[in-house]
């Protein structure tokens, strides 16, 4: 876990909707959503609240902001993910982090990676990869880019797609590096690198990105 951050994770029953939830208000946009969507939202918010309680001493529950980005308390950044029956939230203080991104994914099967590879991978990203590792690497690229999106969206304030970054380094010990291919505005220019950590968590692939507060982005490492 990034230094000074707090993580909270919980299992939930995907089919239960929010019937057992009086403590987490559903946003209007989710009142007519499926039970699965309501259940994952509530589970993610419970994790966020537990992580915030641990970090700040206050059990805040972030509202849903524009483009679904959670609205964290002042002096906190964070990120939420849910997959299958698992939810997770990561939070940290703004004096140490400008952005945090976390993502849980069910690793892709061989046929899913064949289908999704062209969507997820930037041009040239797949070329040197061992075919046997293709499903893992498509999964890793996908999840790392979702983590990047969650960490950067609050800073750039616009959406960007999978072609905006490429996985340029990875190993099986939990390290990887994403590099921007496109300008996302301001200091987020092509060549900026984001170290990624990855691991297995409850049978899922977990990735996370932490953008430190103290380091200006360069064409070298930013974390
Ligand atoms: C937003 C997105 C990243 C969510 O990922 P997902 O796999 O569908 O779902 P996850 O459970 O991992 O994450 C969902 C959580 O991400 C968070 N999230 C959603 N939009 C967000 C945004 N704009 N900024 C920050 N966090 C956001 C929310 O907390 C959301 O959960 P909630 O709606 O219950 O609060 C995904 O739907 C998406 O739009 N991807 C395309 C953009 C992208 O990834 N580009 C790659 C850039 S290189």
């Amino acid at each position: 876990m990034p230094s000074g951050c707090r993580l909270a994770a919980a299992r939930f029953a995907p089919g239960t909707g929010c019937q057992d939830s009086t403590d987490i208000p559903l946003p209007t946009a989710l009142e007519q959503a499926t039970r699965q969507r309501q259940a994952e939202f509530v589970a993610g918010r419970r994790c966020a609240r537990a992580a915030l309680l641990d970090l700040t001493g206050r059990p805040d529950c972030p509202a849903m902001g524009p483009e679904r980005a959670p609205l964290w308390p002042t002096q906190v950044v964070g990120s939420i993910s849910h997959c299958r029956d698992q939810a997770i939230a990561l939070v940290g203080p703004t004096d140490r982090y400008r952005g945090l991104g976390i993502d849980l994914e069910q690793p892709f099967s061989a046929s899913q990676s064949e289908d999704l590879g062209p969507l997820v991978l930037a041009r040239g990203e797949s070329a040197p990869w061992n075919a046997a590792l293709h499903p893992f690497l498509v999964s890793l690229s996908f999840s790392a880019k979702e983590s990047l999106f969650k960490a950067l969206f609050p800073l750039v304030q616009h959406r960007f797609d999978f072609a905006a970054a490429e996985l340029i380094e990875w190993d099986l010990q939990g390290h990887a590096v994403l590099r921007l291919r496109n300008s996302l505005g301001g200091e987020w220019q092509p060549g900026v690198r984001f170290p990624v950590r990855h691991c297995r968590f409850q049978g899922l692939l977990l990735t996370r990105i932490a953008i430190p507060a103290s380091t200006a982005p360069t064409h070298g490492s930013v974390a």
Side-chain angles (χ1 to χ4, degrees):
M1 183 169 27
S3 169
C5 288
R6 299 291 187 276
L7 186 80
R11 313 242 0 199
F12 65 99
T16 58
C18 61
Q19 286 171 336
D20 64 340
S21 168
T22 53
D23 54 335
I24 306 287
L26 272 185
T28 311
L30 294 187
E31 281 172 3
Q32 304 303 320
T34 63
R35 284 174 168 275
Q36 164 70 24
R37 177 68 187 110
Q38 292 180 345
E40 70 183 23
F41 176 85
V42 168
R45 282 325 194 257
R46 284 191 176 139
C47 291
R49 191 178 54 183
L52 284 170
L53 179 62
D54 198 14
L55 182 72
T56 67
R58 289 172 46 97
D60 292 314
C61 181
M64 183 187 279
E67 301 279 351
R68 272 176 72 189
L71 299 176
W72 299 101
T74 53
Q75 303 184 335
V76 176
V77 288
S79 182
I80 296 170
S81 184
H82 22 63
C83 182
R84 240 171 33 195
D85 61 349
Q86 186 69 50
I88 198 163
L90 176 69
V91 298
T94 52
D95 60 355
R96 298 183 70 166
Y97 298 99
R98 299 171 74 185
L100 294 171
I102 195 163
D103 188 66
L104 281 174
E105 292 294 337
Q106 175 84 51
F108 298 145
S109 66
S111 68
Q112 285 173 318
S113 76
E114 285 301 317
D115 292 344
L116 292 172
L119 169 75
V120 173
L121 303 178
R123 194 163 2 118
E125 211 177 346
S126 63
W129 292 354
N130 181 326
L133 284 171
H134 193 255
F136 169 73
L137 290 166
V138 176
S139 306
L140 179 61
S141 180
F142 180 86
S143 181
K145 289 176 182 182
E146 299 241 297
S147 284
L148 180 66
F149 179 80
K150 293 177 200 177
L152 269 184
F153 178 86
L155 298 172
V156 303
Q157 291 291 316
H158 62 81
R159 296 183 68 83
F160 50 97
D161 64 21
F162 291 96
E166 60 189 342
L167 198 61
I168 56 166
E169 293 174 23
W170 58 272
D171 63 29
L172 296 175
Q173 283 73 51
H175 298 272
V177 178
L178 279 176
R179 180 173 63 193
L180 287 185
R181 299 174 73 239
N182 301 342
S183 170
L184 300 181
E187 64 220 273
W188 311 107
Q189 294 301 319
V192 172
R193 294 169 180 234
F194 300 88
V196 179
R197 299 301 304 268
H198 65 88
C199 64
R200 295 288 281 201
F201 182 81
Q202 303 287 356
L204 302 169
L205 172 64
L206 183 154
T207 61
R208 60 107 172 134
I209 288 176
I211 305 175
S214 55
T215 313
T218 67
H219 285 56
S221 173
V222 296

